[in-house]
Amino acid sequence: MKCKCGNKAVIYRKYEGRALCKKHFLESVDKIVRRTINSNNLIRRGEKIAVGVSGGKDSSLLLYYINNIGRERDIKVEAILVDEGIKSYRTVKYAKNLCKKLDVKLHVVSFKKEIGKTLDKIVKNVNEIKACTYCGVFRRYLLNKKAREIKADKLAIGHNLDDEVQSILANYIRGDLLRASRVGARAWIIRNKKFIPRIKPLREIPEKETALYVLLKKIKVDFKECPYSGDSFRSDMREIINDLEEKYPGIKFSILRTFDKLKPSLKKQIKMNKIDYCKECKEPSSQKICKVCLLKEKLDL
Ligand code: SF4
């Protein structure tokens, strides 16, 4: 298979019906990420961007990319890694090495220290299916808290096209329109000085292509899968969407574009609860007690 330039192709994009060589593939990904950042005004000159990293392919590519843009736009970049305490999975080694190579400061926060228990210990006491529920709530909380502490203007997370489409469909199926309205390049959350806006520069890059990008750029990443990921609702969504994409190439982009067109009307219909502060931890919450404190209470923490 050859690229239009005559060089050997490294990928055939079924959804576009074209093959790309290494040079044209890397250029194409760069162009899409830049377009996402610029058209959504995600990063402004002089800002400080906290990047949520895990050592995996998506967040490593994101850090590499934002660090490159940082040099051009006078942006300060720092990385945050949340160590959930999953023995067979989480390691700080990859993120640490990449941050060292890029000269980016890395902050590590752990469930054990901040929440009181590792995720492995948490799932011993609850149904394993719930691992992602606990993990997601605690991770978001810790990332936001740390980003605020280091005075970041934005928190960048490595959600790729597949993650974004899974969120869109999962929210539709569950009928969770409030959550659906928050999906997007700039996750829509209520303005509150304690919330750091979350941005997703990779939302238009398919998962397979983030993997190919890091391989071609020789960025060392951890390809291990979380042992709890197979149990989640999201992983069922993933399978369904990948089957559909196989049969109808381009369906992931179609779901994303349709959602982006519907989002403004969706936002108008959603009534946001007034944001107050949690009585326990003083973090912003629409309820008297926030989700983090409710889950901690369930776990006796
Ligand atoms: Fe956490 Fe679930 Fe992701 Fe594993 S798959 S890191 S448990 S959210």
Side-chain angles (χ1 to χ4, degrees), residues 201-215:
L202 305 183
R203 78 187 288 261
E204 295 197 31
I205 311 296
E207 186 173 10
K208 278 186 187 155
E209 298 190 18
T210 63
L212 180 59
Y213 194 103
V214 294
L215 284 172

Side-chain angles (χ1 to χ4, degrees), residues 52-287:
V53 294
S54 65
K57 60 188 185 336
D58 304 313
S59 63
S60 300
L61 166 59
L62 181 67
L63 181 64
Y64 171 84
Y65 204 88
I66 293 204
N67 196 49
N68 277 349
I69 290 196
R71 283 197 224 110
E72 293 165 23
R73 299 190 190 179
D74 186 27
I75 286 156
K76 204 155 181 262
V77 183
E78 290 186 17
I80 305 171
L81 181 139
V82 177
D83 179 0
E84 306 91 344
I86 307 172
K87 204 162 179 255
S88 57
Y89 168 63
R90 177 61 64 225
T91 159
V92 291
K93 186 175 83 185
Y94 292 90
K96 222 179 197 173
N97 289 344
L98 183 60
C99 285
K100 201 172 164 198
K101 202 168 153 195
L102 301 176
D103 197 20
V104 167
K105 187 167 181 186
L106 173 68
H107 304 268
V108 180
V109 284
S110 73
F111 275 25
K112 193 174 177 191
K113 186 160 175 248
E114 303 287 334
I115 305 293
K117 253 184 194 168
T118 62
L119 190 65
D120 284 340
K121 288 228 164 101
I122 290 172
V123 295
K124 270 191 187 159
N125 302 333
V126 296
N127 187 337
E128 272 207 9
I129 292 175
K130 299 268 187 226
C132 293
T133 309
Y134 284 88
C135 185
V137 170
F138 292 151
R139 274 176 60 84
R140 268 194 301 278
Y141 160 74
L142 292 178
L143 279 171
N144 184 67
K145 194 166 166 243
K146 194 68 198 176
R148 196 174 67 221
E149 270 170 36
I150 63 170
K151 296 190 170 38
D153 296 291
K154 308 264 170 61
L155 169 63
I157 50 171
H159 277 205
N160 57 42
L161 174 70
D162 297 56
D163 297 322
E164 200 74 336
V165 172
Q166 285 155 26
S167 300
I168 292 168
L169 280 196
N171 290 327
Y172 278 158
I173 290 170
R174 286 177 165 142
D176 194 340
L177 295 184
L178 176 62
R179 237 183 226 195
S181 68
R182 292 175 184 162
V183 175
R186 189 190 273 263
W188 182 59
I189 48 172
I190 309 121
R191 280 178 208 279
N192 182 294
K193 61 179 188 317
K194 284 192 155 186
F195 278 138
I196 306 302
R198 285 151 59 99
I199 56 170
K200 300 177 198 161
L202 305 183
R203 78 187 288 261
E204 295 197 31
I205 311 296
E207 186 173 10
K208 278 186 187 155
E209 298 190 18
T210 63
L212 180 59
Y213 194 103
V214 294
L215 284 172
L216 292 173
K217 283 278 183 186
K218 296 192 171 50
I219 302 170
K220 286 197 180 120
V221 302
D222 193 355
F223 279 105
K224 271 201 301 293
E225 281 233 7
C226 172
Y228 305 120
S229 67
D231 298 321
S232 68
F233 182 64
R234 186 174 273 272
S235 100
D236 293 339
M237 287 292 106
R238 186 183 186 179
E239 239 173 73
I240 294 167
I241 296 162
N242 282 342
D243 281 353
L244 283 172
E245 181 71 27
E246 197 51 42
K247 282 190 198 150
Y248 313 105
I251 208 147
K252 289 179 187 170
F253 280 106
S254 163
I255 293 170
L256 187 87
R257 305 263 182 262
T258 308
F259 171 78
D260 285 351
K261 281 184 198 147
L262 289 173
K263 195 175 157 182
S265 334
L266 190 62
K267 277 170 72 174
K268 272 187 205 156
Q269 289 196 28
I270 299 296
K271 283 199 186 91
M272 301 297 302
N273 290 340
K274 201 176 151 277
I275 278 292
D276 212 337
Y277 292 94
C278 170
K279 298 233 170 324
E280 302 279 331
C281 67
K282 314 292 178 238
E283 287 292 311
S285 170
S286 55
Q287 310 295 326

